[in-house]
Every structure is written in C-alpha cells, then in structure tokens.
Amino acid sequence: MESAIMNILDNTSGYNINQLLRRLIFNYPDLGLTFNDLDKVSSKLIELGIDLPTTSYINNKDTLYDSYTRSVVPEDDYVKICSNTTRTECTEDCQKVHFQPIIRPYSDHALGHCSYLNTCYPFYNNAPPTLSNAFQPAKLNSPRLDRTCKYLHFQLESPSESAIEQADYQTKRRKKCRGDGLRQELDTILGSKRYPAQYINCDLRSFDYNTLGKFQIIVADPPWDIHMSLPYGTLTDDEMRKMPMSTLSEEGTLIFLWVTGRAMDLGRECLSIWGFKRVEEIAWVKINQLQRLIRTGRTGHWLNHTKEHCLVGMKVSDPDASDIQWPEWLNRGLDTDVIVSEVRETSRKPDELYGMIERCCPVGRKVELFGRRHNGRDGWLTLGNQIGEDEVYDPELSQRLNERYPEKGKLVVGR
C-alpha cells in the first residue's frame, strides 16, 4: 500500500483521504481495499508522516469515478432554477431560470396557486410536463389542457442563452460519462459485466423466480392494498407475505422496499418472513414543481402525506442476532437517509435512490420488482406487468427463460 500511496500522491496533488481511497480501490484492486477501509488508509498515512485533509471543497472530481457516481442520471438537461420562483420577484440581471404562470381565459388569479401544480390531472389531463421536456413548445402549448381547474399553474420560462449553454454543457458531459467506452472501462475495473437495461413483462404473483438466479440488490415498489381507489391493481396482504423473495436473495443481499403509511408495519413483517433484517429506513421528502414542500397530497387518511418511506433490509441467517456481518462489497457511509425530490407520475419514485444504490453497491446483480419501463437502467433487470416488450441481454438468463417459458418465443440476446 505504501508504494501505491506514494505513486498516486507524486503524480497528483490536492487529494483528500476519501479521494485517495477511491484511487487506491480503482487503480490497485490487488490491495483488496473497499470504501470501509478509510481507517486503514488513515493509519498508513500517519505512519508515512503524510497529512491529508479528510474532506475537500475543490470541485475537481476524477472523470472515471464521476461517471460511476453519475451512473444514474434522471434528466439530460440541467439548469439552475431561481429560488424567487418568478422573475417579477427577482432582479433583472438574474441568469437563472424562473417560472411563469400559465394564463388561460378560465384562470382565476384570486384563487391562487393550484395545490397540485404540474401534477394536477384535470389541468394536464394525466400528462404533466417534467423538467426535461418543459422547454419544448409542444408541451408549453399543449392542446390537452383541460378547463376544469381554474387555479394558477406554472411552466418554466424559456431559459436565457447562458442557461442554455450550461444545459448543453451538462448534457454533453453526462452523455460522455454514460458512453459505452467508459461503461466497459468501469466493467473492467469493477470486474463485473453491466448489461444494458433488461426487462421482463410478467405477473409477479405466478412468475418462476428460479429462472432469475440470485441478486445482491432487490428494489420493490409493491402495489400495496391501501384501501383507497387507485389507477392500478393491488396485492392483498397475504399475497405480499407469500412473495418468494428468498429465491432471489442470498446472505448479504440488500432489499429496498417502498412502503405506504398503512403498510409500514406490514412491510417490516414481510421483511422478517422473507429472511431479511431491517437495517435502515430512507425517507423521501416530496417537493412540488416550484421546489417547495407539498402541502396537499393524494394519500393519507388523517394527514396529507408529504413523505414516503423505503425500508432497507439485509438477508441474514439469523434475523434475531444483534451483530450484523456486512458484505464486503457494501460501501457504507456515502449517503444520507433522506431524499428530497420532486413528485412526478403516480407511484413513480425518485431516481436518486438508484444513484445511492450504485454507490453503495457498484458491482453485483440488481433487480427491480413491480417496475415500469422508465425504471430500467444499465446493469439492472426490471420485472412488472406494465413493462411492455421483453428485452434480455444476459445469454445465461435468456437461455433459462426460453427453456421455462417457450410460449414467450425466443428472447433476443443483444450486445
């Protein structure tokens, strides 16, 4: 380790301990270091008489590692939105993007802002614009706007030239980071093959999970029966308890289970039945189009719910044991347990969770259950009954599926 440290520090200056550890992991895999070995590296630096800061505020990340941390990017276009919301409330020389009200003959200023804003189904007819398409004229002047909501709604104004240049720069940078060349280079460094996004359309209540194999990461957003009218089918409590999660998991597997308010206790019960021990809980704080806390939600029997919970469990041999043996591949302490993100379509969860998972588990197989097409991403297998066309690139998985489900027809194995 000593020669590796000296070689890195001789070639590059300005490193902190965390950055040094990353370079040791990526450049010297023979050392067998993980992100949990920060103390080991710190001790070695003390022996060598080298003093490095523990954190750094220099915005100069390594390109390869940056591409890894940005392996999940929710939007191609990124612009800074002014906290003053509208330009009338801001200074004239502000180069950030602002919101402007959508004025229709039936709009009533006296009513104020619509509580649902761009998730107002009557106003947008189930097709609210997102930040990624908000600048497209077809979305700004959509003929689908309905006349049933008279409250004020907003759209992003056309960005200034400087904002457009910044968005173009970010788009090119992210496309470069997500290119096949860097993905293959990361595959080599991490010793793992990341197939393009794979999809299987199926009924998860009756699907044969034995065809899928074992996974290190499981994400599930079940259609819990919350005793409310929903635009999709739900599973009963007993059907959830009987889900064969143990077939997909092995000791050390992490599961990220989204739960509703009513299903909080049921979710914990399911984790125990499936052989998982709850080790964490992530809270998603929901904000609206104007980047403010949601005041009116569509769920909640007593209070409007402005947050949602994701239970994190780990497959263990003894759920009652007090000591947890964390898997070697797990990188702990990189993220917080709170996600602040804008709401989108019904039941769609924040993309930030996937980035969090990729950072804590850069290698290994990952599967999402009860997913839709928009959930797919490189290195993941997504299953659900609203997926559409099957798409499988793993040849071994394709062979098992073809043998088990010949009626589906031969699944095409891609690159």
Side-chain angles (χ1 to χ4, degrees):
M1 185 190 302
E2 178 178 342
S3 60
I5 291 176
M6 297 307 299
N7 185 43
I8 292 175
L9 296 181
D10 287 343
N11 294 327
T12 308
S13 60
Y15 271 121
N16 61 41
I17 296 179
N18 293 292
Q19 292 169 330
L20 175 61
L21 176 58
R22 292 169 188 150
R23 296 312 309 165
L24 289 171
I25 292 173
F26 289 142
N27 289 1
Y28 299 91
D30 293 341
L31 296 176
L33 296 174
T34 70
F35 285 100
N36 299 323
D37 292 324
L38 188 62
D39 292 339
K40 184 185 296 185
V41 175
S42 299
S43 299
K44 178 58 68 174
L45 289 174
I46 293 175
E47 292 179 12
L48 298 174
I50 300 175
D51 184 21
L52 291 183
T54 56
T55 58
S56 173
Y57 298 97
I58 301 175
N59 188 18
N60 181 24
K61 294 184 178 180
D62 172 81
T63 304
L64 186 59
Y65 183 76
D66 191 47
S67 69
Y68 154 58
T69 58
R70 293 178 176 271
S71 58
V72 178
V73 182
E75 305 287 356
D76 280 336
D77 298 323
Y78 171 79
V79 292
K80 292 184 178 180
I81 300 176
C82 181
S83 59
N84 291 314
T85 307
T86 62
R87 191 164 291 278
T88 56
E89 302 172 356
C90 189
T91 59
E92 295 183 359
D93 59 347
C94 180
Q95 298 298 315
K96 297 179 182 178
V97 175
H98 300 75
F99 287 94
Q100 58 188 23
I102 301 175
I103 305 299
R104 296 288 183 263
Y106 48 87
S107 299
D108 189 345
H109 290 262
L111 297 177
H113 299 179
C114 174
S115 298
Y116 298 110
L117 294 172
N118 67 332
T119 62
C120 178
Y121 296 158
F123 191 77
Y124 289 101
N125 195 20
N126 294 322
T130 64
L131 288 180
S132 62
N133 61 29
F135 300 139
Q136 299 176 12
K139 297 294 182 181
L140 294 178
N141 302 304
S142 174
R144 294 174 296 187
L145 295 184
D146 195 278
R147 296 194 177 194
T148 58
C149 185
K150 298 181 180 180
Y151 289 83
L152 286 181
H153 299 78
F154 292 83
Q155 65 191 17
L156 284 174
E157 67 177 4
S158 298
S160 63
E161 291 185 4
S162 60
I164 293 177
E165 291 175 357
Q166 177 67 11
D168 289 341
Y169 167 76
Q170 293 288 348
T171 300
K172 292 177 181 178
R173 179 174 178 271
R174 293 178 181 182
K175 286 182 177 179
K176 178 182 178 182
C177 289
R178 293 186 296 183
D180 290 339
L182 272 177
R183 183 177 65 193
Q184 293 171 2
E185 190 174 351
L186 280 170
D187 291 346
T188 301
I189 291 176
L190 299 175
S192 174
K193 173 64 176 176
R194 292 169 60 91
Y195 292 102
Q198 303 183 95
Y199 307 90
I200 299 177
N201 192 76
C202 62
D203 185 342
L204 288 168
R205 296 171 297 181
S206 58
F207 185 77
D208 185 0
Y209 290 80
N210 290 296
T211 60
L212 302 179
K214 302 294 185 180
F215 295 86
Q216 281 68 52
I217 296 293
I218 301 174
V219 173
D221 183 17
W224 302 99
D225 184 3
I226 61 174
H227 302 166
M228 295 179 67
S229 177
L230 296 171
Y232 50 81
T234 60
L235 268 65
T236 66
D237 294 354
D238 284 339
E239 287 176 326
M240 284 304 306
R241 294 185 181 100
K242 294 176 182 178
M243 288 292 293
M245 296 297 186
S246 58
T247 306
L248 300 176
S249 58
E250 58 189 4
E251 188 164 358
T253 293
L254 292 180
I255 185 171
F256 294 78
L257 180 67
W258 288 103
V259 294
T260 60
R262 175 194 168 273
M264 291 278 283
D265 293 334
L266 176 59
R268 293 185 175 91
E269 179 187 347
C270 287
L271 289 181
S272 179
I273 293 173
W274 300 335
F276 288 83
K277 182 180 181 66
R278 189 190 69 83
V279 294
E280 270 294 355
E281 187 170 315
I282 300 171
W284 169 28
V285 179
K286 301 178 179 181
I287 57 176
N288 60 26
Q289 179 191 21
L290 303 182
Q291 311 303 295
R292 299 170 182 172
L293 186 68
I294 285 181
R295 300 295 182 185
T296 305
R298 288 189 172 91
T299 60
H301 292 284
W302 310 105
L303 298 173
N304 286 314
H305 291 176
T306 61
K307 61 179 175 56
E308 200 162 333
H309 294 263
C310 180
L311 304 179
V312 184
M314 189 175 75
K315 185 69 174 290
V316 293
S317 56
D318 183 8
D320 296 327
S322 57
D323 295 333
I324 298 178
Q325 185 65 39
W326 299 97
E328 294 182 357
W329 46 259
L330 179 63
N331 302 320
R332 293 185 289 156
L334 297 182
D335 289 276
T336 67
D337 59 354
V338 176
I339 295 174
V340 180
S341 182
E342 184 178 340
V343 296
R344 295 176 291 181
E345 303 94 315
T346 299
S347 78
R348 185 167 182 176
K349 299 304 185 287
D351 291 331
E352 287 84 350
L353 177 70
Y354 300 100
M356 183 185 299
I357 292 174
E358 293 286 357
R359 287 186 288 274
C360 79
C361 177
V363 297
R365 302 183 70 217
K366 304 176 179 71
V367 64
E368 178 160 8
L369 307 178
F370 306 102
R372 295 190 175 100
R373 203 76 181 183
H374 61 245
N375 296 117
R377 48 210 358 102
D378 287 353
W380 287 72
L381 172 63
T382 306
L383 290 83
N385 64 356
Q386 299 178 7
I387 292 293
E389 184 179 357
D390 295 332
E391 199 170 332
V392 177
Y393 294 94
D394 183 344
E396 295 181 0
L397 174 60
S398 177
Q399 181 180 354
R400 293 195 298 267
L401 290 170
N402 287 329
E403 293 175 354
R404 178 63 179 82
Y405 296 102
E407 67 277 8
K408 274 181 168 284
K410 292 294 183 181
L411 294 174
V412 178
V413 178
R415 50 187 169 173

